[in-house]
Amino acid sequence: RGPSDDNEWAWALNRHYFAQNLLDAWLTTKEARYAKAWNDHVKDWVLSNPYPGEESKTAAWRGLEAFFRVKAWARGFYALQGHAALEPATRLLILASILDHADYLRRFHKPTSNWICMELNGLATA
């Protein structure tokens, strides 16, 4: 929840905007440290935030955050194929967690509002 105990901070962190920035830095510079940081952050998130298997109101497993994360991970997963910084264990963790994200988004998406569009977009991406 960040230094100010802020929900918005927690939600933004779990959307993995920073992962997009790391990937963009790697795509621009080709410096391996950015690809490694992307790998390490995503791997740590998956290991630290197991799928709850039920609807969640936590910053990690809210529907919008699952949507944004799937988009960020898909982009990084494909961009980093063939790069040694994307570890085999992280590849497997991402693939397994994307299945969890797809299950979450299919079962617990909002029935109405603009959230349903975003959550089902994440399901389609998964």
Side-chain angles (χ1 to χ4, degrees), residues 4 28 30 32 34 46 51 54 57 65 79 89 105 114-115 117-119 122 126:
S4 300
T28 301
K30 297 299 186 204
Y34 296 119
V46 173
Y51 177 43
E54 61 188 25
K57 302 280 192 255
E65 285 63 51
L105 292 167
N114 63 339
W115 280 37
C117 295
M118 296 172 80
E119 290 170 332

Side-chain angles (χ1 to χ4, degrees), residues 60-122:
W61 280 102
R62 229 176 43 142
L64 282 182
E65 285 63 51
F67 153 72
F68 281 109
R69 220 172 16 255
V70 165
K71 297 293 243 183
W73 290 1
R75 183 172 173 247
F77 183 83
Y78 288 109
L80 293 170
Q81 289 302 310
H83 194 288
L86 184 57
E87 299 167 2
T90 305
R91 292 169 201 257
L92 293 173
L93 287 168
I94 290 169
L95 292 173
S97 189
I98 284 181
L99 288 175
D100 291 339
H101 281 67
D103 184 65
Y104 187 88
L105 292 167
R106 182 184 58 79
R107 293 174 56 203
F108 306 115
H109 64 77
K110 298 294 181 261
T112 61
S113 82
N114 63 339
W115 280 37
I116 191 174
C117 295
M118 296 172 80
E119 290 170 332
L120 293 182
N121 182 302

